[in-house]
Amino acid sequence: MTRWWAAVIALAGAVILAIVATTPPGAVSANASTTVFSASRAMADVRVIGRAPHPTGSAEDAQVRNYLVARLKGMGLEVATATGTMSPAAKKRLDGWRKAVAPAPPLTNIIAILPGRDRAQPAVLLMAHHDSVW
């Protein structure tokens, strides 16, 4: 009987620990310190970026890219852009999405660097798309 209770108590403890360990922290207000992440502040950016589709090569994509560059510079990052060309396979896939054959748009990447204390140390890389689907 004692083992039965020990098992029940251990199981209950494991469930409580799992719930506590996976419960996210409460939301931070928009006027919290800028050194703290605020979902409210982040949602302002999401609303601007997500207000309309902005597929590769569109005017909307250029607007989103310009917004992101300005925001990143405003946060003190070193920002540059790099352009490239689309592969034939990617162009064919894009033509299928836009349901028209058109010239391949130029590709523009945003490179933003948040300088660390010691640039000789390893860096962290984050990559994400800033365009959307049609």
Side-chain angles (χ1 to χ4, degrees), residues 7 11 13 16 29 32 34 36 48 55 59 75 80 86 90 107 110-111 129 134:
L11 182 61
I16 290 169
S29 71
T34 56
V36 177
V48 171
M75 291 188 289
M86 188 174 281
L107 303 178
I110 301 170
I111 298 99
H129 281 265
W134 285 88

Side-chain angles (χ1 to χ4, degrees), residues 1-124:
M1 189 71 158
T2 306
R3 287 185 177 184
W4 168 256
W5 282 109
V8 168
I9 291 170
L11 182 61
V15 168
I16 290 169
L17 183 60
I19 291 170
V20 170
T22 59
T23 302
V28 175
S29 71
N31 51 357
S33 168
T34 56
T35 61
V36 177
F37 175 77
S38 165
S40 299
R41 284 193 300 256
M43 278 308 295
D45 291 326
V46 170
R47 285 186 184 95
V48 171
I49 294 165
R51 74 176 178 265
H54 44 278
T56 301
S58 67
E60 293 83 6
D61 184 41
Q63 289 175 345
V64 168
R65 185 174 51 256
N66 292 338
Y67 175 79
L68 290 172
V69 166
R71 284 288 287 137
L72 292 166
K73 284 182 178 179
M75 291 188 289
L77 280 75
E78 298 170 8
V79 182
T81 57
T83 57
T85 56
M86 188 174 281
S87 71
K91 183 201 174 301
K92 184 176 180 181
R93 191 169 46 248
L94 180 62
D95 287 343
W97 290 336
R98 57 187 172 188
K99 297 180 178 29
V101 176
L107 303 178
T108 306
N109 294 315
I110 301 170
I111 298 99
I113 299 172
L114 177 59
R117 292 187 191 121
D118 183 356
R119 289 200 175 200
Q121 294 295 315
V124 175

